[in-house]
Amino acid sequence: MNKIVDFKCTYDNLIGIRKLVTESTNLTFPDAYKNWDSMAELALAIKEHNHANYCELPFCHTLEGEALGGIIYYGDENGGPRGKEYICSTAEELLSLPAIDYSQGRMAEVLQACSLLRNKGENVVLYISGPFTILNVLMDPRYIFKIFKKNPAAMQDIFDKLASEIIRFVEEAQKVDVNLISYGDAMGGVNILGPKFAKQVVEMFTYPFLKRVEEIIRRETILLLCPKTTFALLGTERAQWRDIDLGVPTTYSEACVQVIGQAKFVGQMCFKNNSFELKKGIIKAVDLL
């Protein structure tokens, strides 16, 4: 079996909030992170500032955790929402959390902002978090890893619960015509979990989750994998590369849009690296085995 290679990413926390961007708007914070119309305006401002070919939402990694009941500090013009305090300390408490209601709260506002931007003809990348990033909002990581080590059956139940919620998020995103869905779980990378537990996460969560996504994702949508996830799949022989020749050099983000309909997953580079150029005009699809 291959070794899981870590991808050293410097973009994980850079979903888009910059003081230079927020100062160019008339938005008030933190309200701008809560309402669909201000979210859309801020996303457009970030797109222009970054000279990007897409808008990105949300502006944090706390959306799913909050929707499950997590307590959030909403931030200000200098930084987006982040976790404030933990609400769970046992597997039983996590498993008893209610299902996400996608028709209410900040979750509904994000989806409405996506819909508005898509109706304006924008490419929209929706950031969806993996299990450890979501759990980081809900529970002290010490307790999470204790459950993982001491009670793998309970951890599997937690993974299954979160997988079902994230699948529903993918389905809701497609209802509003989001064409780019980004999936990452930096808190669950091999650099944090170590090789043994990273392999277990692929087998217990990542691979079965993505196989379910593969079944429901439409030709009009593509899933952008964090390279940490891609290399975990490759290192456990659960995926392989497939070259798609675009014919001309282009940026990675532009290539991802171009291959919608030709691939369900890509993930050789962090999508937030706007300057990364495919000099040979070849992008690598990630095909699950």
Side-chain angles (χ1 to χ4, degrees), residues 7 94 112 149 153 217 256-257 287:
F7 179 82
L94 282 173
Q112 190 168 352
K149 293 178 182 178
I217 201 166
C256 289
V257 175
D287 291 339

Side-chain angles (χ1 to χ4, degrees), residues 197-209:
F197 287 114
K199 177 181 180 296
Q200 285 184 254
V201 171
V202 172
E203 299 297 335
M204 296 170 69
F205 180 88
T206 311
Y207 181 73
F209 161 69

Side-chain angles (χ1 to χ4, degrees), residues 179-286:
N179 59 334
L180 300 156
I181 298 175
S182 175
Y183 173 81
D185 194 17
M187 296 299 297
V190 67
N191 59 315
I192 295 176
L193 297 178
K196 176 183 175 181
F197 287 114
K199 177 181 180 296
Q200 285 184 254
V201 171
V202 172
E203 299 297 335
M204 296 170 69
F205 180 88
T206 311
Y207 181 73
F209 161 69
L210 291 176
K211 289 296 285 186
R212 291 173 65 185
V213 172
E214 188 176 44
E215 293 177 359
I216 66 170
I217 201 166
R218 305 181 310 194
R219 284 185 57 83
E220 297 83 6
T221 309
I222 193 167
L223 197 80
L224 315 168
L225 296 174
C226 168
K228 287 179 178 287
T229 300
T230 300
F231 292 147
L233 291 165
L234 295 171
T236 52
E237 300 179 350
R238 289 296 193 171
Q240 63 186 11
W241 295 120
R242 171 169 56 91
D243 288 353
I244 300 177
D245 192 346
L246 301 174
V248 294
T250 186
T251 64
Y252 182 64
S253 61
E254 290 170 341
C256 289
V257 175
Q258 290 182 48
V259 297
I260 292 175
Q262 301 180 59
K264 293 194 174 183
F265 306 105
V266 291
Q268 71 198 81
M269 175 49 60
C270 178
F271 189 75
K272 293 184 280 290
N273 188 346
N274 287 324
S275 63
F276 185 76
E277 185 177 3
L278 300 171
K279 295 181 179 180
K280 296 183 179 180
I282 296 174
I283 187 171
K284 293 182 177 293
V286 180

Side-chain angles (χ1 to χ4, degrees), residues 8-287:
K8 293 178 172 57
C9 182
T10 60
Y11 291 87
D12 179 55
N13 294 316
L14 299 179
I15 293 189
I17 300 302
R18 313 280 196 285
K19 191 168 184 179
L20 285 174
V21 177
T22 57
E23 286 178 343
S24 70
T25 72
N26 293 318
L27 298 173
T28 58
F29 296 85
D31 289 344
Y33 302 132
K34 300 179 182 180
N35 304 309
W36 66 268
D37 50 351
S38 57
M39 288 180 187
E41 182 179 345
L42 184 55
L44 286 167
I46 292 170
K47 174 195 172 186
E48 181 178 353
H49 180 268
N50 291 343
H51 305 291
N53 64 324
Y54 58 89
C55 294
E56 50 191 332
L57 285 165
F59 309 116
C60 65
H61 292 294
T62 66
L63 186 64
E64 300 94 333
E66 181 191 25
L68 285 164
I71 300 172
I72 303 302
Y73 169 70
Y74 286 103
D76 53 28
E77 66 275 10
N78 297 310
R82 50 194 179 272
K84 187 175 182 180
E85 59 184 272
Y86 300 120
I87 63 169
C88 297
S89 59
T90 67
E92 292 75 18
E93 288 174 340
L94 282 173
L95 293 170
S96 67
L97 293 174
I100 293 174
D101 185 346
Y102 289 90
S103 68
Q104 296 184 13
R106 194 157 57 99
M107 183 68 77
E109 299 292 326
V110 167
L111 290 169
Q112 190 168 352
C114 290
S115 179
L116 173 69
L117 292 168
R118 286 295 289 150
N119 288 335
K120 289 178 175 289
E122 299 289 344
N123 294 310
V124 174
V125 54
L126 178 66
Y127 292 106
I128 290 181
S129 296
F132 287 95
T133 300
I134 296 173
L135 290 171
N136 192 51
V137 175
L138 303 169
M139 177 184 277
D140 188 312
R142 292 176 299 173
Y143 297 134
I144 297 169
F145 293 125
K146 182 178 179 180
I147 296 169
F148 199 0
K149 293 178 182 178
K150 302 293 186 180
N151 194 345
M155 195 70 213
Q156 185 65 70
D157 289 340
I158 293 168
F159 281 149
D160 292 345
K161 176 183 176 69
L162 294 178
S164 295
E165 292 295 347
I166 305 170
I167 288 290
R168 290 176 59 223
F169 197 5
V170 172
E171 291 173 336
E172 294 297 325
Q174 292 190 117
K175 289 179 183 178
V176 295
D177 294 324
V178 169
N179 59 334
L180 300 156
I181 298 175
S182 175
Y183 173 81
D185 194 17
M187 296 299 297
V190 67
N191 59 315
I192 295 176
L193 297 178
K196 176 183 175 181
F197 287 114
K199 177 181 180 296
Q200 285 184 254
V201 171
V202 172
E203 299 297 335
M204 296 170 69
F205 180 88
T206 311
Y207 181 73
F209 161 69
L210 291 176
K211 289 296 285 186
R212 291 173 65 185
V213 172
E214 188 176 44
E215 293 177 359
I216 66 170
I217 201 166
R218 305 181 310 194
R219 284 185 57 83
E220 297 83 6
T221 309
I222 193 167
L223 197 80
L224 315 168
L225 296 174
C226 168
K228 287 179 178 287
T229 300
T230 300
F231 292 147
L233 291 165
L234 295 171
T236 52
E237 300 179 350
R238 289 296 193 171
Q240 63 186 11
W241 295 120
R242 171 169 56 91
D243 288 353
I244 300 177
D245 192 346
L246 301 174
V248 294
T250 186
T251 64
Y252 182 64
S253 61
E254 290 170 341
C256 289
V257 175
Q258 290 182 48
V259 297
I260 292 175
Q262 301 180 59
K264 293 194 174 183
F265 306 105
V266 291
Q268 71 198 81
M269 175 49 60
C270 178
F271 189 75
K272 293 184 280 290
N273 188 346
N274 287 324
S275 63
F276 185 76
E277 185 177 3
L278 300 171
K279 295 181 179 180
K280 296 183 179 180
I282 296 174
I283 187 171
K284 293 182 177 293
V286 180
D287 291 339

